[in-house]
Amino acid sequence: MTTQTAMPLPTPGTSFVTMVENLVAGEHLEKNPWTPDAMWHNIANQAVDALVARGELRRDEADIITGLTPLEELPTALDCPDPSPIWRCVYTAYRLTAGSSFGETKAEIRNIMARRAVTNKQFSFMLGVVIDRDIRRAKARKEPGSRRPSSLQRARNAFGDGGFLTEDVPGRHWIPAFMPLPQLLERALAGDRDARITLMIGGGFALMMDGYLTRDRESKLFEGNAPFRGSPPAILTDLAGHEHGLRMLATAWEYWDPTKPAHDYDIPVINADGSLVVTGDTRETRSPERLTEYKLYEIASPSKAMAGFLKQQEARKARNQAASPVDRDRDNRERLAIALDIAKDAATALENSAVSPPPHPFGTQEEWERARSTAQEVYDTLVRNRPDPGEGYIESADPEEDEDAQYDDE
């Protein structure tokens, strides 16, 4: 006679998803160990079910968070403008972090993990593996021939460094502003706090998921990929604190494509007034300039970017003493391009200043003359040394092979 062991009945409030993942967890305990991503994914599902059992979440709310509610049903379920994964992200952040929900969710995580404390970075990493459910397959694709990891892995690294958990989000009272992006931006620019937080989370999610905003690493500073050090929450706080930054967040949200990996398209850079920065001399060659992490930091905090740029130049100048002439020329071209970009942005901001003289936005006559003279000297140098257009070189996109090294430790 064969004795069969009865399968334990599910506890009240336990979803089918959690039952399945608990069985899978048992398999991993006996065989392959969990990766941090899978472990926190399982913890998140159990925490959501525990919140449902305690009456802190309704089952329909939990289904939106865990992805059981299809994207196409989000406009009806949330009264949001479109079925974008970003709206699921915003709602998940709201239901698990706003007000008392943050402490309640943390308490369930501590119970599940038998820990006395859960850090905000751990909580943020858990959020990251929850809110990327809709886009994992697309964002996990790697660029052919590249050593750098997929944008999905870089995004999870960013969430592990705090993600969009700025001081305004966890434990604070805020409500998502479910409205079309133009209206959301307009309200955020007018000072509406809920609209600003919604835009910061949505735009920040897009920037992190595509690798434009990554975790804080010292190597990024020395490699020149960022002008100063800053974690994702710090950069998002700066971006959400002024008009140019809010417009950049809205642009990232608008151009973000959840169906494509990051290398299939680019988010453009914008001017302070929201217009696109373009390159090229004719209408046929004009296209949005590619956003970089350096440019994103510069938009977030121009003053910090300038100070960081000057420090980098000093370090680069010292390093170039022993460099080859070709390497020195390349580095100096990069310095010139960055310095001109900074100078153009500063001059434009001063020209559009709302301050009525005196004092004049460009300073005294002596300060203006010194700036004009320096700018004229740079211009004359460029004109005197124009490359011969008949040398046979064809402009093309830089393959950026040297950038691979920066992602080796991501």
Side-chain angles (χ1 to χ4, degrees):
M1 181 175 178
T2 303
T3 302
Q4 294 183 346
T5 304
M7 199 169 192
L9 294 175
T11 58
T14 301
S15 69
F16 176 75
V17 173
T18 300
M19 291 175 59
V20 172
E21 293 201 349
N22 285 341
L23 292 173
V24 173
E27 290 295 309
H28 280 283
L29 287 174
E30 297 297 329
K31 299 176 183 177
N32 299 322
W34 283 98
T35 64
D37 313 61
M39 181 188 74
W40 282 103
H41 187 275
N42 187 50
I43 291 171
N45 284 332
Q46 292 185 56
V48 168
D49 277 333
L51 291 171
V52 172
R54 287 179 47 196
E56 303 294 343
L57 280 177
R58 299 193 310 269
R59 175 49 62 188
D60 60 320
E61 294 175 324
D63 288 347
I64 295 174
I65 294 172
T66 58
L68 293 180
T69 301
L71 281 175
E72 55 268 21
E73 295 181 14
L74 289 186
T76 301
L78 300 179
D79 195 25
C80 59
D82 51 75
S84 169
I86 290 181
W87 289 120
R88 195 194 299 276
C89 163
V90 171
Y91 181 77
T92 299
Y94 165 66
R95 290 303 288 122
L96 298 184
T97 70
S100 61
S101 299
F102 183 58
E104 292 162 355
T105 307
K106 263 195 169 184
E108 295 301 339
I109 296 172
R110 290 198 301 269
N111 290 337
I112 294 168
M113 302 184 69
R115 287 186 178 180
R116 297 180 60 184
V118 175
T119 68
N120 282 7
K121 287 187 176 181
Q122 290 172 325
F123 192 101
S124 176
F125 187 85
M126 184 200 74
L127 270 182
V129 299
V130 170
I131 60 181
D132 65 23
R133 298 176 194 260
D134 296 312
I135 54 177
R136 288 173 189 162
R137 186 178 298 274
K139 300 304 179 182
R141 287 165 51 196
K142 293 180 63 176
E143 188 169 2
S146 175
R147 297 197 306 269
R148 60 183 176 182
S150 66
S151 62
L152 178 67
Q153 185 57 55
R154 280 177 279 160
R156 289 182 174 171
N157 290 339
F159 275 104
D161 199 20
F164 49 63
L165 292 190
T166 66
E167 291 186 358
D168 288 336
V169 176
R172 302 297 181 90
H173 292 283
W174 60 278
I175 300 175
F178 294 114
M179 59 184 63
L181 188 55
Q183 296 178 23
L184 182 65
L185 174 60
E186 183 178 352
R187 282 186 53 177
L189 292 174
D192 186 288
R193 181 172 176 274
D194 289 338
R196 181 171 57 82
I197 292 175
T198 302
L199 184 58
M200 184 273 294
I201 291 176
F205 176 67
L207 290 168
M208 286 186 286
M209 288 311 307
D210 283 346
Y212 291 101
L213 178 58
T214 62
R215 64 180 173 179
D216 181 25
R217 292 185 296 118
E218 189 174 17
S219 59
K220 291 197 301 185
L221 184 65
F222 291 105
E223 292 165 0
N225 302 320
F228 59 91
R229 293 194 63 176
S231 63
I235 301 303
L236 289 176
T237 297
D238 286 340
L239 286 171
H242 56 84
E243 179 177 348
H244 195 181
L246 288 170
R247 291 188 182 278
M248 186 68 250
L249 290 167
T251 301
W253 188 333
E254 178 185 2
Y255 280 82
W256 185 67
D257 193 330
T259 66
K260 295 181 179 179
H263 56 268
D264 277 0
Y265 68 101
D266 291 322
I267 296 174
V269 182
I270 64 164
N271 295 308
D273 62 358
S275 60
L276 298 185
V277 177
V278 297
T279 57
D281 298 326
T282 65
R283 185 185 301 272
E284 289 73 21
T285 60
R286 286 183 180 180
S287 61
E289 184 178 328
R290 179 185 180 184
L291 181 66
T292 62
E293 191 162 21
Y294 192 105
K295 188 64 179 179
L296 187 66
Y297 276 52
E298 190 177 39
I299 293 173
S301 181
S303 59
K304 291 180 185 177
M306 173 60 78
F309 169 72
L310 294 176
K311 289 182 179 179
Q312 287 178 336
Q313 299 321 298
E314 289 298 323
R316 181 174 289 185
K317 187 175 181 180
R319 187 173 67 246
N320 278 348
Q321 298 300 323
S324 69
V326 173
D327 289 338
R328 286 199 298 270
D329 287 349
R330 184 187 65 247
D331 285 346
N332 284 324
R333 284 196 299 271
E334 293 177 2
R335 292 176 62 201
L336 177 62
I338 295 173
L340 289 175
D341 283 341
I342 293 174
K344 179 182 176 183
D345 288 347
T348 302
L350 290 172
E351 184 180 34
N352 297 329
S353 172
V355 176
S356 299
H360 195 280
F362 281 88
T364 64
Q365 172 71 22
E366 181 181 355
E367 291 173 324
W368 175 87
E369 181 62 36
R370 184 165 58 249
R372 187 206 61 78
S373 176
T374 302
Q376 186 65 47
E377 289 179 17
V378 174
Y379 174 77
D380 291 342
T381 301
L382 286 171
V383 171
R384 286 197 307 269
N385 294 277
R386 180 181 181 180
D388 185 356
E391 289 182 351
Y393 292 102
I394 300 175
E395 288 191 9
S396 60
D398 186 350
E400 300 175 342
E401 293 178 354
D402 292 341
E403 286 188 0
D404 287 342
Q406 68 180 283
Y407 298 105
D408 289 347
D409 62 343
E410 286 278 17

